[in-house]
């Protein structure tokens, strides 16, 4: 059975592709894309997430992102159509986890990726502030910490290792909405 979908909430560690897949899904559903990291950077007066993170500081960035995420999750809960991409670190805030866990099914969809696939996707972005020092080791540490937080709220997991952005978007729709008509026998 195919369910009508008007909003989707995504999360994933850096390189899982939540921003790119979110953009494809927003396009396919004809709804707005809302990305909490980008919204938080904008609220702090920056174009780039790393810029906001460095200039405003980690605490100010996470405070701004928490505020944005709570407002966006409330909008999803109220039935306002959108694809909401949660920044990879925003579920560290307990209030955000509570709001995310309280969403109706399917709730938050996690995109997963292993380091071997995330590293080439991120490329030079592995030099950004959160990965300084040893980028691969930092990514692995951050991924382990953040996935433990996601496990508390996520009910649907979609692997992205061996699929391009369009394929991942298709997998998300299949999982949450049931098979698309073109897939029906
Ligand atoms: N499934 C995929 N296959 C190949 N490339 C991908 C895939 N998903 C994303 N990419 C590419 O990886 C890069 C990073 O993608 P994106 O910005 O969506 O990641 P993200 O998970 O939102 O990371 P972050 O927000 O932490 O930077 C982009 O160049 C994007 O095209
Ligand atoms: O690009 C960045 O610098 C960041 C991205 C997200 O992972 C944030 O959660 C992180 O803390 C900073
Ligand atoms: Mg992103």
């Amino acid at each position: 059975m195919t369910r009508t979908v008007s909003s989707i909430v995504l999360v994933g560690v850096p390189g899982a592709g939540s921003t790119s897949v979110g953009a494809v899904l927003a396009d396919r559903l004809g709804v707005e894309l809302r990305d909490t990291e980008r919204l938080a950077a904008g609220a702090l007066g920056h174009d780039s997430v790393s810029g906001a993170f460095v200039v405003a500081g980690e605490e100010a960035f996470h405070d701004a992102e928490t505020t944005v995420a709570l407002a966006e999750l409330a909008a999803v809960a109220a039935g306002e159509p959108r694809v909401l991409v949660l920044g990879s670190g925003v579920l560290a805030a307990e209030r955000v986890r509570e709001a995310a866990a309280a969403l109706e099914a399917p709730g938050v969809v996690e995109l997963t990726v292993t380091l071997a696939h995330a590293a080439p996707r991120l490329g030079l972005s592995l030099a950004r502030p959160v990965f300084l020092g040893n980028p691969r080791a930092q990514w692995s540490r951050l991924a382990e910490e953040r996935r433990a937080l996601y496990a508390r709220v996520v009910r649907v997991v979609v692997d992205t290792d061996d699929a391009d952005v369009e394929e991942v978007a298709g997998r998300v729709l299949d999982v949450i909405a049931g098979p698309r008509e073109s897939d029906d026998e």
Side-chain angles (χ1 to χ4, degrees):
M1 195 184 73
T2 305
R3 240 186 302 158
T4 307
V5 176
S6 64
S7 58
I8 296 176
V9 185
L10 297 177
V11 75
V13 294
S18 33
T19 299
S20 311
V21 172
V24 170
L25 288 169
D27 196 47
R28 288 204 200 168
L29 298 184
V31 300
E32 205 180 328
L33 174 69
R34 313 277 291 173
D35 185 313
T36 61
E37 288 188 340
R38 296 190 182 182
L39 291 168
L44 293 166
H46 291 268
D47 291 334
S48 87
V49 175
S50 291
F53 193 77
V54 171
V55 177
E58 184 168 358
E59 196 179 336
F61 182 81
H62 286 299
D63 285 351
E65 196 184 9
T66 296
T67 302
V68 164
L70 290 171
E72 289 295 322
L73 287 165
V76 171
E80 293 178 29
R82 66 198 57 215
V83 171
L84 172 60
V85 176
L86 297 174
S88 66
V90 77
L91 288 172
E94 190 178 359
R95 284 182 302 155
V96 179
R97 285 202 301 278
E98 282 171 3
L103 290 175
E104 278 176 22
V108 180
V109 177
E110 180 189 359
L111 304 183
T112 57
V113 67
T114 57
L115 175 61
H117 288 82
R121 289 182 196 169
L122 291 170
L124 287 174
S125 298
L126 273 177
R128 69 197 195 194
V130 273
F131 300 126
L132 282 182
N134 179 341
R136 286 171 168 261
Q138 295 287 43
W139 184 93
S140 299
R141 179 192 52 75
L142 181 142
E144 190 180 343
E145 278 172 17
R146 292 185 175 174
R147 290 210 66 206
L149 296 169
Y150 304 165
R152 302 194 205 172
V153 303
V154 161
R155 280 171 274 172
V156 177
V157 177
V158 173
D159 184 42
T160 75
D161 268 359
D162 293 308
D164 66 21
V165 171
E166 293 283 339
E167 287 166 339
V168 175
R171 285 181 187 177
V172 171
L173 286 175
D174 285 349
V175 170
I176 68 177
R180 287 155 289 159
E181 267 170 36
S182 57
D183 294 341
D184 290 346
E185 292 291 303

